[in-house]
Amino acid sequence: MSDCIFCKIINGEIPSTSVYQDEQAYAFRDIQPAAPTHILIVPRKHIDSINAMTDNDEQTIGHLFNAARQIATQEGLAENGYRLVINTNAHAGQTVFHIHLHLLGGRQLTKMG
Ligand code: AMP
């Protein structure tokens, strides 16, 4: 999508600090980190949100979690733990409408709600 900020990050039009990439996914550091490690993992395919996902996207979205596992290990978070979050629409506070998996870690995280 031409006006999507994360599509522009994936294609290099907007700079990012990349931590991982493969043929399906791209991961980079969040510009406003909510934890010592805060990484966004996005599919190269533009999908607005989990609401817009189809059955055909199962593999694409599952792949984000496999990438997250590898990144968590790479970042030294696997043993102490980390949180994976996907916000969907207003009540969850979604601000960028290109599916992204937040990977948060590096400190004791508080309970959600
Ligand atoms: P969400 O609120 O779940 O839609 O998450 C969007 C996230 O994207 C927020 O945590 C923002 O800080 C992050 N973000 C927005 N623009 C950029 C950018 N140019 N580079 C890195 N992270 C960004």
Side-chain angles (χ1 to χ4, degrees):
M1 282 238 312
S2 56
D3 60 346
C4 168
I5 185 173
F6 285 176
C7 286
K8 288 181 178 171
I9 284 177
I10 292 164
N11 71 26
E13 270 182 76
I14 293 176
S16 65
T17 305
S18 171
V19 296
Y20 173 94
Q21 54 183 309
D22 62 31
E23 67 290 344
Q24 289 185 74
Y26 183 81
F28 53 100
R29 296 198 189 277
D30 196 291
I31 206 166
Q32 282 192 298
T37 302
H38 187 172
I39 290 164
L40 302 174
I41 305 148
V42 305
R44 290 187 186 274
K45 177 183 177 186
H46 181 94
I47 306 167
D48 280 356
S49 76
I50 290 293
N51 281 343
M53 171 185 175
T54 69
D55 290 352
N56 290 336
D57 296 320
E58 269 187 20
Q59 195 279 335
T60 303
I61 302 306
H63 185 79
L64 301 181
F65 287 84
N66 201 32
R69 177 184 54 75
Q70 294 177 62
I71 296 163
T73 300
Q74 178 183 303
E75 295 283 321
L77 301 175
E79 189 178 336
N80 283 336
Y82 51 92
R83 181 171 292 159
L84 298 173
V85 175
I86 297 179
N87 294 320
T88 302
N89 277 357
H91 276 186
Q94 184 178 6
T95 57
V96 178
F97 286 80
H98 178 132
I99 287 180
H100 48 283
L101 181 59
H102 292 260
L103 166 59
L104 298 151
R107 67 167 165 80
Q108 182 65 54
L109 298 167
T110 54
K111 293 287 181 195
M112 295 186 295

